Amino acid sequence: MEKLEKTLEEWRAMLDPEQYNVCRLSATERPFSGKYNATKTDGVYHCVCCNEPLFDSTTKFDSGCGWPSFYAPIGASAMTEIRDTSHGMIRTEVKCARCDAHLGHVFPDGPPPTGLRYCINSVCLNLEPRE
């Protein structure tokens, strides 16, 4: 996969203010406010910054946490994981492998078959419904 690199100024011009704050500055959208939190549409979720496929809707589940949750990414190379010690916690941040957009975090409390919960900000995603 070819890495996509842009300056913060280029990202700011391309994204709306909330997308920029979450994807490029690692902010978080308010729980239960995102457009994909309760979505049941069949399709593929792509990175809003670079259009890289990240999650298939077949791995989405209702975790009750207030953000879209998935038990697996679309592929092992879709994202990178980074140790996050901000806010007095130890968590694992997930970023798009292609453009380094902050997506959310992954936790070890998800359902089978992986036992993982990828807790992802809706503003980081674009859903392409399946035909």
Side-chain angles (χ1 to χ4, degrees):
M1 168 187 328
E2 186 177 325
K3 200 77 162 166
L4 176 63
E5 295 183 26
K6 294 184 180 202
T7 66
L8 285 178
E9 292 77 23
E10 289 172 313
W11 288 120
R12 187 186 311 271
M14 179 185 142
L15 303 168
D16 72 34
E18 188 176 22
Q19 290 169 331
Y20 178 79
N21 285 332
V22 174
C23 295
R24 305 325 307 177
L25 304 179
S26 300
T28 302
E29 67 188 2
R30 290 184 338 273
F32 302 101
S33 68
K35 64 183 176 180
Y36 297 129
N37 182 49
T39 299
K40 306 264 191 246
T41 304
D42 185 36
V44 175
Y45 291 86
H46 294 256
C47 177
V48 72
C49 294
C50 69
N51 204 37
E52 191 68 20
L54 299 172
F55 297 98
D56 192 285
S57 64
T58 59
T59 66
K60 189 173 188 285
F61 68 100
D62 183 6
S63 69
C65 72
W67 292 275
S69 296
F70 305 85
Y71 63 75
I74 205 158
S77 63
M79 55 196 62
T80 58
E81 296 184 0
I82 299 154
R83 182 181 164 101
D84 178 1
T85 58
S86 64
H87 305 291
M89 299 178 262
I90 298 174
R91 304 178 290 175
T92 302
E93 176 186 14
V94 289
K95 291 187 170 194
C96 174
R98 182 163 185 245
C99 71
D100 290 327
H102 168 78
L103 303 171
H105 293 85
V106 61
F107 301 95
D109 61 0
T114 65
L116 299 174
R117 173 174 55 98
Y118 289 83
C119 185
I120 307 298
N121 293 283
S122 286
V123 297
C124 302
L125 303 172
N126 275 329
L127 173 60
E128 288 188 18
R130 261 190 272 279
E131 298 290 321

